[in-house]
Amino acid sequence: MEDYKLIALDLDGTLTNSQKKISPATREVLLHAQHAGIRIALVSGRPTAGVLPLARELELDQSDGYIISFNGGKIVSCKTGETLYERYLPKELLPRLCGLNKKHPLAVIIYSSDTIITETADNNYVRGDAFINHMPVEEVPNILPRIDFHVNKFLFPGDPAYIEKLLPSLRREFPTCSIYCSEPYYLEVMPNNVDKAQALAVLLGRLGLTRSALIAFGDGFNDQSMVRFAGMGVAMGNAQQVVKNDADFVTRTNDEDGVAYAVQKLVLPGVETHA
């Protein structure tokens, strides 16, 4: 049995169930893991503020846990609040990126430290993002003049079929950016070479650990990199097929305590819990 020291968990569709909640059984198993000296990193496309409530629920501040937000663009220590690593988009690209929603039928979202900023607060995707992240929405007529902070990512929600067709041309237009879909309806623009695996490699280096000590859980397209990278890559039962294809182990779904089941089976054998 491999001696795992770091558990990396995607949130939506992985750690949380369909109600966006951590089940009691999953929470219990993850607290057991932390009491056994295993660190947890919550690895999400969400902004840091949108991950904090779940980090508090899992008591990551007491167990030296980490938040990796913006799909790998930022690493924060839950114990100290210190930013350990951060990547953001070049200032010279911001005017062109701010104009994409005017050229295409897309909404646009950026994040300050505690607010979702958009030009269309009544957009269904924007409202959904605010609900998931528990963050207030600030509507502005034009995003560009509002930017007085480093932008970790742009989120362009829209019709999945349109986004799928648009993706190749945007990658050609912005070759210095990492552009992909975290969900079919979420087009994300990040600094180049930013993904969940890259950030986990940075964190492992800081902790003096190797990939073999990492077990990573995911379900979506943006989880592929870390599922491939980890010593043990775990796909949820509800994961995209490409994630399952890359995984070393496929667990139960997020509504069947899939994280708890796999952690108990692969990380904490012999530990009695109610999962």
Side-chain angles (χ1 to χ4, degrees), residues 96-109 118-126 143 154-167 169-170 173-174 179-181 183-189:
R96 288 168 58 201
L97 290 169
C98 286
L100 282 180
N101 63 306
K102 297 172 177 64
K103 292 170 60 178
H104 303 283
L106 302 169
V108 59
I109 291 172
T118 184
E119 296 174 3
T120 52
D122 62 345
N123 178 276
N124 285 337
Y125 291 116
V126 174
I143 274 188
F154 274 77
L155 178 64
F156 294 101
D159 175 68
Y162 187 89
I163 287 175
E164 185 179 6
K165 291 179 181 177
L166 180 62
L167 200 55
S169 64
L170 283 186
E173 185 179 351
F174 297 96
I179 303 176
Y180 53 86
C181 295
E183 298 287 352
Y185 46 83
Y186 277 162
L187 177 68
E188 310 220 1
V189 180

Side-chain angles (χ1 to χ4, degrees), residues 45-190:
R46 297 189 193 186
T48 306
V51 184
L52 273 170
L54 297 176
R56 294 190 185 106
E57 191 174 341
L58 292 176
E59 302 177 10
L60 297 196
D61 57 327
Q62 300 175 39
S63 301
D64 205 11
Y66 300 89
I67 290 172
I68 299 179
S69 52
F70 298 112
N71 276 323
K74 189 172 185 176
I75 304 175
V76 174
S77 164
C78 295
K79 190 172 186 178
T80 66
E82 177 189 3
T83 296
L84 306 178
Y85 169 85
E86 186 171 18
R87 294 281 307 282
Y88 38 80
L89 290 157
K91 285 185 178 180
E92 61 268 20
L93 289 183
L94 299 183
R96 288 168 58 201
L97 290 169
C98 286
L100 282 180
N101 63 306
K102 297 172 177 64
K103 292 170 60 178
H104 303 283
L106 302 169
V108 59
I109 291 172
I110 60 172
Y111 305 91
S112 69
S113 60
D114 56 3
T115 305
I116 294 170
I117 302 170
T118 184
E119 296 174 3
T120 52
D122 62 345
N123 178 276
N124 285 337
Y125 291 116
V126 174
R127 288 203 299 263
D129 196 57
F131 171 77
I132 290 170
N133 287 302
H134 304 285
M135 293 172 67
V137 176
E138 176 187 346
E139 184 177 77
V140 295
N142 190 347
I143 274 188
L144 185 59
R146 175 64 178 82
I147 298 176
D148 57 0
F149 51 88
H150 292 307
V151 179
N152 298 96
K153 81 168 182 177
F154 274 77
L155 178 64
F156 294 101
D159 175 68
Y162 187 89
I163 287 175
E164 185 179 6
K165 291 179 181 177
L166 180 62
L167 200 55
S169 64
L170 283 186
R171 285 174 172 158
R172 289 192 297 270
E173 185 179 351
F174 297 96
T176 61
C177 294
S178 177
I179 303 176
Y180 53 86
C181 295
S182 56
E183 298 287 352
Y185 46 83
Y186 277 162
L187 177 68
E188 310 220 1
V189 180
M190 302 279 298

Side-chain angles (χ1 to χ4, degrees), residues 51 107 125 196 224 253 264 266 273:
V51 184
Y125 291 116
K196 294 185 175 185
Q224 265 187 285
T253 71
Q264 195 161 341
L266 302 172
T273 70

